[in-house]
């Protein structure tokens, strides 16, 4: 107890216990989700002026219990299958609570620092990556891709005798990054941040299965090489966000090797698909890439804030992300015998990415993998890929539903259709259906496939069962029927 400090530094058990009933209740996902429709009610309670005087821990716990937790975000609810996100399961949630109390930074010689390394090693092994890859946890897939492309940029320009991290981008050269038109938009932003420029991401068209068209890519690479453009990286999608397509990785490895270009694989969502034997061959030779990204906070359902990047050449990655030495950092370390926790940084992640202070993220990944084992992850991934195939089968068998993408991973895009409704009106109709589904707590997201408005469930949620999948499809059909029957949608072709 520090008498001059107003923040409570003790009473952790009391405080956590006070919140547990509300958290348990939240995780039952009972009743309708009213956080959106009734937002003015709880905005009013929470949106207060900065308090001048201390209101105390009780006031905080009370708001958390009464308002914040009940009005939280239901992305873990069984009916949620939107975007590529979900809520943590229990072991990940409690591991991250433990870390926020007793492992508040990932550095120095302590159990959490070791678990960063172990979790990265386990992930590498689980996904069949090269054990010599250097891994790093970052906040998510966007930052993981930024780190990988930072290393790729370093590689490309060092080959020309230029150190872009030290000297910036050369004036007299032009360059390109190569990816398919289905690439995640985080790649463009990474290109912007790295000074490569969003406009220098060259997009290759995709084939009917939404995979990069290899012949078109080769033609672009030939053309650009003849024009003297520096190829910074080929980006392979190992699971596109839109439809879950996996680019032909083995062919891209060959192209990258032959042309001496860095191969980066964005498997933020889809790399776990390698664990389903039905589609594992699609990921063959991914371990030969120069960098690979995978997000534990997606299919592994780790708490959000957990992406992982693996880079083959650690020394290069360090040159890309090095910081100037500082007496208060490196100068404060000792080498040799560790006589105190703070003698050195432990397994050192400081120079490998953009973050300095960073939470211990490995502990949650370690907890999940220890709890369910490699087998539990394989089982989940296969179950979710089967859900997508199930949606495809259900939609194919129903004359008023239409699958719009053949599932590769755990996404199946589909839509409601009716012969009497025009193609243009179908887009609005499906948008309306999706909105009504959301009001019922059934939450796929939506997208466009081949220009058509699609309902897009993406199954990574551990709480979803086949009953939820059937319900989503059945309700799509029923809502679509009701909307077309009451004449709200154009009946003319
Ligand atoms: C393929 C892919 N890459 C990158 C990202 C960005 O990941 P994050 O949202 O974790 O930053 C996503 C997100 O869905 C993704 O699907």
């Amino acid at each position: 107890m520090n008498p001059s400090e107003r923040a409570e530094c003790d009473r952790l058990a009391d405080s956590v216990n006070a919140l547990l009933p509300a958290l348990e209740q939240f995780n039952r996902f009972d009743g309708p989700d009213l956080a959106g429709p009734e937002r003015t009610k709880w905005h009013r309670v929470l949106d207060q002026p900065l308090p001048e005087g201390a209101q105390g821990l009780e006031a905080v716990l009370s708001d958390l219990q009464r308002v914040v937790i009940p009005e939280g975000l239901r992305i873990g609810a069984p009916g949620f299958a939107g975007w590529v996100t979900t809520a943590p399961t229990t072991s990940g949630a409690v591991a991250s609570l433990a870390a926020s109390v007793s492992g508040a930074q990932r550095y120095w010689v302590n159990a959490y620092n070791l678990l960063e390394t172990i979790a990265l090693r386990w992930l590498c092994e689980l996904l069949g990556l090269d054990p010599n890859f250097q891994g790093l946890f970052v906040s998510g897939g966007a930052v993981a891709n930024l780190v990988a492309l930072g290393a790729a940029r370093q590689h490309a320009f060092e080959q020309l005798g230029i150190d872009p991290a030290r000297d910036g981008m050369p004036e007299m050269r032009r360059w390109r990054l190569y990816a398919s038109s289905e690439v995640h938009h985080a790649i463009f932003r990474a290109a912007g941040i790295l000074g490569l420029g969003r406009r220098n991401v060259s997009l290759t068209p995709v084939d009917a299965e939404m995979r990069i068209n290899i012949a078109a890519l080769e033609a672009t690479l030939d053309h650009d090489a003849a024009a003297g453009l520096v190829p910074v990286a080929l980006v392979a999608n190992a699971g596109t966000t839109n439809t879950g397509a996996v680019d032909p990785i083995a062919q891209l490895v060959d192209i990258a090797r032959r042309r001496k270009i860095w191969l980066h694989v964005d498997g933020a969502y889809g790399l776990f698909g390698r664990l389903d034997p039905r589609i594992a061959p699609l990921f063959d030779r991914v371990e030969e890439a120069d960098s690979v990204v995978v997000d534990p906070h997606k299919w592994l359902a780790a708490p959000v804030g957990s992406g992982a990047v693996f880079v083959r050449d650690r020394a290069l990655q360090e040159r890309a992300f090095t910081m100037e030495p500082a007496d208060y950092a490196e100068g404060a370390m000792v080498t040799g015998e560790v006589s105190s926790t703070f003698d050195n940084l432990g397994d050192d992640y400081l120079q490998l990415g953009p973050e300095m202070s960073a939470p211990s993220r490995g502990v949650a990944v370690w907890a999940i993998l220890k709890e369910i084992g490699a087998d539990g992850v394989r089982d989940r991934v296969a179950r979710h890929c089967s859900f997508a195939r199930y949606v495809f089968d259900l939609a194919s068998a129903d004359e008023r539903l239409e699958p719009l993408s053949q599932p590769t991973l755990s996404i199946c895009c589909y839509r409601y259709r009716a012969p009497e409704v025009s193609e243009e009106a179908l887009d609005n109709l499906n948008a309306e259906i999706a909105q009504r589904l959301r009001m019922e707590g059934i939450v796929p997201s939506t997208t466009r496939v081949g220009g058509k408005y699609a309902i897009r469930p993406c199954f990574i949620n551990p709480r979803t069962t086949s009953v939820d999948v059937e319900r989503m499809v059945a309700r799509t059909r029923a809502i679509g029927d009701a909307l077309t029957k009451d004449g709200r949608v154009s009946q003319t072709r």
Side-chain angles (χ1 to χ4, degrees):
M1 183 71 179
N2 174 359
S4 42
E5 175 54 60
R6 296 192 195 181
E8 174 64 66
C9 299
D10 302 314
R11 292 191 48 210
L12 190 61
D14 280 3
S15 306
V16 173
N17 278 331
L19 298 186
L20 284 179
L23 287 169
E24 292 277 9
Q25 171 64 30
F26 176 82
N27 258 358
R28 283 195 279 276
F29 307 109
D30 290 339
D33 177 2
L34 297 175
E38 297 191 350
R39 65 188 182 284
T40 43
K41 265 197 347 244
W42 51 268
H43 269 217
R44 227 179 300 122
V45 182
L46 296 178
D47 192 359
Q48 299 290 326
L50 169 71
E52 192 49 47
Q55 299 194 355
L57 180 61
E58 301 309 336
V60 175
L61 292 173
S62 162
D63 278 1
L64 284 169
Q65 255 172 320
R66 286 181 312 108
V67 190
V68 181
I69 294 171
E71 307 298 352
L73 183 66
R74 295 196 185 193
I75 53 177
F80 183 89
W83 298 276
V84 196
T85 190
T86 188
T89 49
T90 305
S91 66
V94 296
S96 102
L97 170 65
S100 74
V101 176
S102 70
Q105 289 269 8
R106 64 181 163 183
Y107 305 110
W108 297 294
V109 184
N110 71 97
Y112 291 94
N113 174 255
L114 177 63
L115 289 182
E116 294 288 288
T117 306
I118 290 177
L120 288 164
R121 196 181 78 213
W122 284 6
L123 270 182
C124 204
E125 187 181 332
L126 177 72
L127 296 166
L129 300 179
D130 185 332
N132 296 314
F133 272 136
Q134 173 62 51
L136 174 73
F137 283 117
V138 291
S139 62
V143 175
N145 278 304
L146 173 70
V147 171
L149 294 179
R153 182 187 74 156
Q154 193 70 17
H155 171 257
F157 288 96
E158 280 189 2
Q159 286 184 321
L160 304 172
I162 296 159
D163 180 345
R166 189 190 59 199
D167 300 328
M169 298 299 286
E171 274 170 26
M172 303 306 289
R173 303 300 301 237
R174 291 191 304 136
W175 50 82
R176 289 285 186 275
L177 277 164
Y178 299 91
S180 90
S181 53
E182 292 291 298
V183 74
H184 194 273
H185 48 191
I187 299 295
F188 296 89
R189 185 168 57 192
I193 296 170
L194 291 166
L196 295 167
R198 321 161 84 91
R199 275 183 14 192
N200 292 316
V201 182
S202 166
L203 296 181
T204 301
V206 288
D207 62 19
E209 278 147 37
M210 312 303 250
R211 296 147 46 106
I212 193 166
N213 179 323
I214 291 288
L217 173 67
E218 293 261 34
T220 306
L221 290 170
D222 285 343
H223 173 272
D224 288 359
L229 299 185
V230 180
V232 174
L234 297 182
V235 179
N237 296 303
T240 60
T241 316
N242 221 24
T243 63
V246 179
D247 284 334
I249 291 170
Q251 279 176 276
L252 290 169
V253 170
D254 285 337
I255 293 172
R257 289 295 151 264
R258 181 163 27 88
R259 294 178 183 262
K260 298 192 172 30
I261 306 176
W262 183 280
L263 178 65
H264 170 59
V265 177
D266 181 2
Y269 153 48
L271 190 57
F272 285 104
R274 195 175 204 191
L275 302 178
D276 181 339
R278 294 169 296 183
I279 48 173
L282 297 177
F283 300 87
D284 279 355
R285 301 181 62 198
V286 70
E287 61 281 4
E288 293 180 47
D290 297 292
S291 54
V292 177
V293 157
V294 66
D295 270 2
H297 70 198
K298 292 188 164 59
W299 228 330
L300 209 55
V304 167
S306 180
V309 51
F310 294 90
V311 176
R312 179 172 301 288
D313 184 343
R314 177 181 174 132
L316 177 96
Q317 190 181 356
E318 286 193 12
R319 292 197 295 281
F321 288 96
T322 194
M323 289 192 291
E324 304 312 312
D327 289 340
Y328 48 78
E330 295 82 359
M333 299 297 131
V334 297
T335 47
E337 189 76 356
V338 175
S339 48
S340 136
T341 299
F342 300 102
D343 280 355
N344 69 54
L345 289 167
D347 290 340
D348 183 6
Y349 294 100
L350 199 66
Q351 312 280 353
L352 298 173
E355 292 173 295
M356 189 160 175
S357 285
S360 299
R361 299 179 171 110
V363 63
V365 173
W366 163 84
I368 295 162
L369 292 177
K370 185 175 171 75
E371 181 197 6
I372 69 173
D375 223 35
V377 188
R378 281 187 210 110
D379 177 68
R380 179 188 298 170
V381 168
R383 181 177 357 119
H384 287 159
C385 291
S386 296
F387 285 172
R389 291 166 185 222
Y390 191 29
V391 171
F392 184 88
D393 291 345
L394 292 171
S396 305
D398 189 322
E399 80 281 1
R400 287 177 85 91
L401 297 176
E402 178 188 11
L404 293 176
S405 68
Q406 177 86 44
T408 303
L409 299 170
S410 62
I411 296 173
C412 179
C413 298
Y414 71 100
R415 68 175 180 172
Y416 182 88
R417 68 165 175 201
E420 68 276 19
V421 180
S422 68
E423 192 56 44
E424 303 75 63
L426 277 180
D427 283 1
N428 285 339
L429 173 60
N430 279 282
E432 174 83 30
I433 293 170
Q435 191 178 10
R436 291 189 179 213
L437 287 172
R438 287 196 287 274
M439 285 159 63
E440 295 181 11
I442 301 170
V443 190
S445 47
T446 59
T447 187
R448 282 185 184 274
V449 180
K452 295 173 180 166
Y453 193 95
I455 294 171
R456 175 195 165 281
C458 171
F459 300 106
I460 59 164
N461 182 345
R463 293 173 173 88
T464 301
T465 67
S466 56
V467 174
D468 302 301
V469 177
E470 282 159 9
R471 200 166 136 245
M472 178 181 299
V473 176
R475 291 302 299 150
T476 304
R477 164 78 204 242
I479 295 168
D481 284 352
L483 286 172
T484 46
K485 192 157 142 234
D486 70 15
R488 290 189 47 194
V489 176
S490 159
Q491 302 289 305
T492 49
R493 264 191 164 273

